[in-house]
Amino acid sequence: MKTIYVDNAATTRMSDVAYEAMKPMMQEIYGNPSSLHHIGQTAKEYLDDARARIAKCINAQPNEIYFTSGGSEADNQAILTAAYNGAKKGKKHIISSKFEHHAVLHTLDKLAKEGFEIELLDVYENGIVKVEDVKNALRDDTALVTIMTANNEVGTIQPIKEIGEICKENKVIFHTDAVQAIGHIPVDVIEMNVDMLSVSAHKFHGPRGVGFLYCRKGILLQNLINGGAQERGKRAGTENTPAIMGMAAAIEDACSNLEKNAQYVSKLRDMIIDGCADIELSRLNGDRYNRLPGTINFCFEGIEGEGLLLLLDQDGICASSGSACTSGSLDPSHVLLAMGVPVAVAHGSLRISLCEYNTEQEAKTIIDSIHKVVAYLRSISPVWEKIQKGEVVE
Ligand SMILES: *Cc1c(COP(=O)(O)O)cnc(C)c1O
């Protein structure tokens, strides 16, 4: 049986260009970039080059890029930096949204325990934050606004440029988690008016365990990890040069093929959305059009997401019920609940996240398999008949 991998929002298959870029860093150019001998200095040249190439992809300066272990670390460092810098000036109010990634929400939980006031904005049924709400929430003591560029479970794209504009006017630090956006939709830190931006390589065919934080020049970045003077003293630890070279190759590849890939992938996305539209009591979560090229999130009433995933897997289809971070727990997704999806319905969620390696034939197989599996699960469901009759089921 052929594997059909459509869980690209969880992680991706590494691209050949990323894989090839990593190899020499392991057995040839394996020096420590801080070493003074030639093999160390060669590694440093590669590192500098990677930093410059990555910066160019998001319209930043090389010295505004700080390599991290991934998106989670970048989110933590950005948010804690803005919070603690703000607190020094008596600013302890932070604005975010209800459906951020846990790397953001759990960092905000920690800050709440430390006395910060966290305000989480509504994301409405369409999964999009209202610019007006950000404007109204801003206060004199607001230290930070952090809103993701695109949501990882439903794929909706947020009005980042407009939110950034308001933050800029009010001199409030603006951070965005762009992990799902980079390589899939255009990301330009100047155009988007962002001060800080988080990226993870493994969401665009780079290696896992590496990412970066863009931090605009002039912001005093706070360390999460103390030690050596790497990353201009802001993130200690010997640089993961293979992963960083892989990330640089992957981001360049993704950004230079962005339009072509987005066009191709969104065609597959729309095929699947349209192909499943005839399933009764199903819904597409999140705005129909303002979404990432590859992300689809459905709910099918009367079904448990776990059963759906296991049966799809038997057809070779690797999908997700939503976030990889919450799978394993039986709680429904905080993203869907924030969008007002009823608890009973949110249990039957399915996320399909595509990439340019997927094919039309695979999309057809997915549509057929979803129809078959949903019908089967409903046929053995004790509650399906009641739901069909419109009786409320908890
Ligand atoms: C995957 C993801 C992260 C976490 O990135 P890691 O590199 O896995 O730590 C953060 N935010 C969003 C939106 C993500 O999709």
Side-chain angles (χ1 to χ4, degrees):
M1 182 180 57
K2 196 171 159 285
T3 295
I4 299 179
Y5 187 81
V6 285
D7 197 14
N8 289 280
T11 197
T12 57
R13 176 188 182 273
M14 197 187 290
S15 65
D16 294 343
V17 286
Y19 186 51
E20 291 303 325
M22 290 177 76
K23 281 193 217 164
M25 307 311 290
M26 291 185 258
Q27 296 190 324
E28 292 160 44
I29 311 157
Y30 51 80
N32 186 324
S34 300
S35 297
L36 293 179
H37 48 65
H38 71 275
I39 193 164
Q41 287 306 296
T42 304
K44 184 174 184 308
E45 280 165 27
Y46 274 71
L47 186 68
D48 291 345
D49 179 59
R51 194 186 304 281
R53 284 157 50 210
I54 287 169
K56 198 160 170 241
C57 290
I58 62 164
N59 197 16
Q61 299 303 314
N63 62 4
E64 294 174 317
I65 304 296
Y66 297 86
F67 295 128
T68 66
S69 64
S72 300
E73 186 187 332
D75 282 342
N76 274 256
Q77 191 168 15
I79 291 167
L80 294 177
T81 286
Y84 295 149
N85 287 351
K88 280 185 221 153
K89 297 181 222 154
K91 298 182 176 185
K92 297 188 84 169
H93 175 241
I94 296 173
I95 299 167
S96 188
S97 84
K98 286 182 184 167
F99 76 169
E100 296 295 311
H101 190 272
H102 282 137
V104 169
L105 288 178
H106 291 170
T107 305
L108 296 175
D109 285 346
K110 166 187 149 78
L111 288 168
K113 287 193 192 104
E114 294 174 16
F116 285 83
E117 190 187 332
I118 313 297
E119 192 169 343
L120 300 181
L121 301 179
D122 207 342
V123 293
Y124 301 93
E125 198 189 333
N126 65 356
I128 298 172
V129 170
K130 284 191 180 147
V131 180
E132 198 62 23
D133 289 352
V134 178
K135 206 174 196 167
N136 292 335
L138 280 177
R139 305 194 319 213
D140 289 342
D141 65 339
T142 304
L144 166 70
V145 173
T146 173
I147 306 279
M148 67 201 321
T149 310
N151 182 270
N152 49 299
E153 287 189 35
V154 292
T156 49
I157 299 168
Q158 308 304 310
I160 295 305
K161 179 181 156 75
E162 292 79 6
I163 295 171
E165 226 159 53
I166 291 170
C167 291
K168 208 171 175 181
E169 279 166 20
N170 290 275
K171 298 193 168 51
V172 174
I173 297 290
F174 180 39
H175 164 254
T176 188
D177 174 335
V179 172
Q180 290 290 333
I182 289 266
H184 306 289
I185 55 172
V187 169
D188 177 318
V189 293
I190 305 296
E191 180 138 327
M192 289 160 74
N193 300 305
V194 295
D195 296 304
M196 292 194 272
L197 178 140
S198 305
V199 176
S200 176
H202 73 99
K203 306 286 173 78
F204 50 80
H205 305 296
R208 280 160 289 281
V210 68
F212 67 87
L213 174 63
Y214 157 78
C215 181
R216 188 175 51 73
K217 219 174 140 211
I219 293 174
L220 185 64
L221 196 57
Q222 308 259 347
N223 290 59
L224 289 186
I225 301 182
N226 301 293
Q230 293 90 358
E231 300 304 297
R232 299 172 301 293
K234 301 302 180 189
R235 203 285 187 177
T238 304
E239 299 87 347
N240 187 347
T241 48
I244 290 166
M245 294 311 296
M247 171 162 66
I251 199 172
E252 273 187 329
D253 188 40
C255 292
S256 58
N257 292 300
L258 192 141
E259 231 168 281
K260 186 184 77 185
N261 288 342
Q263 213 168 12
Y264 172 73
V265 173
S266 56
K267 205 174 91 189
L268 300 182
R269 175 198 67 191
D270 294 343
M271 252 180 83
I272 295 173
I273 291 175
D274 295 341
C276 292
D278 62 339
I279 300 177
E280 65 174 319
L281 293 176
S282 68
R283 70 160 89 191
L284 173 72
N285 294 307
D287 193 272
R288 172 67 179 83
Y289 300 103
N290 192 12
R291 58 172 56 243
L292 292 170
T295 307
I296 305 167
N297 191 304
F298 289 121
C299 276
F300 303 104
E301 289 190 40
I303 281 176
E304 293 291 334
E306 284 71 22
L308 190 58
L309 288 184
L310 289 175
L311 290 176
L312 289 176
D313 194 32
Q314 285 182 6
D315 283 347
I317 299 166
C318 306
S320 162
S321 61
S323 158
C325 319
T326 38
S327 54
S329 87
L330 287 175
D331 294 335
S333 139
H334 73 285
V335 169
L336 297 180
L337 295 185
M339 289 164 59
V341 178
V343 175
V345 177
H347 273 298
S349 63
L350 172 69
R351 178 183 69 188
I352 293 174
S353 44
L354 305 154
C355 77
E356 65 274 24
Y357 304 157
N358 293 122
T359 63
E360 245 175 62
Q361 188 50 52
E362 288 180 341
K364 283 182 189 145
T365 305
I366 289 166
I367 295 167
D368 291 345
S369 185
I370 290 175
H371 277 85
K372 183 185 77 181
V373 169
V374 168
Y376 170 71
L377 287 171
R378 282 174 171 175
S379 76
I380 59 165
S381 160
V383 292
W384 174 238
E385 258 179 52
K386 283 186 182 173
I387 293 172
Q388 268 181 313
K389 283 188 208 142
E391 292 169 26
V392 182
V393 179
E394 290 305 326

